[in-house]
Amino acid sequence: MTPSTTSPQDPNALAEAAATSLAERTGVRKHDLAVVLGSGWQPAAEEFGTPDSEVDMADLAGFEAPSAIGHSGKIWSMTMADKKVLVLLGRTHGYEGRGLDPVVHGVRTIAAAGCGSVVLTNAAGGLREGMSVGQPVLISDHLNMTTRSPLVGANFVDLTDLYSPRLRAIAKDIDSSLEEGVYAAMPGPHFETPAEIRMLRTLGADLVGMSTVPEAIAARAEGTEVFGLSLVTNLAAGVTGEPLNHQEVLDAGKAAATRMGTLLKELVERS
Ligand SMILES: O=P(O)(O)O[C@@H]1C[C@H](O)[C@@H](CO)O1
Ligand SMILES: Nc1nc2[nH]cnc2c(=O)[nH]1
């Protein structure tokens, strides 16, 4: 596979440089865990409390400010229970056309910063009967419909149990009503057609989005424990017959902020 990077620098060297700069700017030599916030999730971060420090992604090697609305491009360093936590308020998406290295640079930096676990959140369309807008769903597995990998070369990474059974059990202990689902990643930036949603449902998908999967693969390749949490921000195309738009995604995230933030905070503290 041809290298996916457009950067002249080795992706791992970029991640190390970004992590070193992050440690200098936050005063934290090693962070324990990181949270990546997807579209509409930023209001949930307000429930975490006040960050110890804030860094602009654009000031770190290999990062550029995300272009999707609802992704602020900030990184918080926080103390939650006995843990040093990084919160990435935004992400780069594959549809921004900059290659996959910038998409997974955040999780590679998180690993280089010492984090043993990463919580990946996203906004997703709900495919399964009975799903409702505002519902959080634990990701149990994924379908990589992008067909692309952030990995280059003979790097045959195992993806069984990619979404941590340990962290999923903690999440379900926190909120026994939480359901699980299979997340299908589509390239985007367009939403799906109703026929594509019928195809994905037939393939076993419960959720559909445009992120998370490359990051999860790259994180596993770095040996980082992965937990994925989707917020159903809309019912997938064709389910209601209504058109889809990004604003409804952001609005749903705002409406669910308190519940999502409280869940994430307790998960981080208990992880
Ligand atoms: O970063 P996430 O996956 O939460 O963003 C989703 C997917 C698209 O970027 C956007 C569509 O509304 O929301
Ligand atoms: N691909 C995709 N991404 C989403 N993000 C939020 N909702 C959706 C959706 O319906 N489809």
Side-chain angles (χ1 to χ4, degrees):
M1 180 175 178
T2 51
S4 61
T5 178
T6 55
S7 155
Q9 285 190 42
D10 165 50
N12 295 318
L14 269 179
E16 289 294 340
T20 300
S21 181
L22 203 48
E24 288 163 0
R25 291 163 184 262
T26 61
V28 177
R29 187 182 55 77
K30 179 188 178 299
H31 284 85
D32 303 302
L33 178 143
V35 180
V36 177
L37 295 180
S39 295
W41 278 83
Q42 180 146 331
E46 310 303 329
E47 300 297 316
F48 294 170
T50 307
D52 300 329
S53 58
E54 178 179 277
V55 176
D56 282 333
M57 286 178 182
D59 292 341
L60 299 176
F63 283 95
E64 285 185 31
S67 66
I69 296 171
H71 292 256
S72 75
K74 305 282 188 189
I75 297 179
W76 289 354
S77 175
M78 309 194 75
T79 304
M80 296 168 79
D82 59 347
K83 295 183 179 66
K84 290 296 182 187
V85 178
L86 287 172
V87 181
L88 278 65
L89 290 93
R91 60 157 52 99
T92 294
H93 297 85
Y95 56 69
E96 296 177 52
R98 297 178 17 226
L100 284 188
D101 282 333
V103 171
V104 301
H105 181 59
V107 292
R108 287 179 175 150
T109 300
I110 284 163
C115 296
S117 306
V118 61
V119 173
L120 301 171
T121 68
N122 62 58
L127 278 71
R128 190 167 65 207
E129 196 67 35
M131 281 185 164
S132 52
V133 171
Q135 177 181 358
V137 180
L138 305 180
I139 298 176
S140 56
D141 206 342
H142 75 228
L143 298 174
N144 182 1
M145 303 307 288
T146 71
T147 74
R148 297 173 67 198
S149 174
L151 310 181
V152 175
N155 189 0
F156 303 119
V157 172
D158 166 58
L159 297 183
T160 51
D161 276 344
L162 172 56
Y163 297 93
S164 168
R166 180 183 79 88
L167 293 175
R168 284 152 58 194
I170 293 174
K172 282 189 267 191
D173 188 54
I174 294 167
D175 179 348
S176 59
S177 71
L178 283 173
E179 296 177 2
E180 297 201 333
V182 174
Y183 175 92
M186 296 288 276
H190 55 281
F191 288 113
E192 294 66 41
T193 64
E196 286 168 336
I197 292 303
R198 290 195 298 273
M199 170 196 72
L200 291 172
R201 195 180 285 125
T202 303
L203 292 175
D206 303 295
L207 300 156
V208 58
M210 305 178 197
S211 71
T212 305
V213 162
E215 293 148 290
I217 294 168
R220 167 55 72 89
E222 298 294 329
T224 307
E225 182 182 30
V226 175
F227 175 85
L229 183 64
S230 290
L231 175 67
V232 176
T233 54
N234 57 280
L235 297 185
V239 174
T240 65
E242 294 301 315
L244 278 60
N245 67 77
H246 189 54
Q247 188 53 52
E248 76 172 310
V249 168
L250 300 179
D251 293 346
K254 198 173 295 180
T258 303
R259 180 182 178 192
M260 294 302 101
T262 306
L263 170 61
L264 280 182
K265 185 170 184 295
E266 189 163 350
L267 175 72
V268 167
E269 291 172 348
R270 288 179 50 176
S271 65

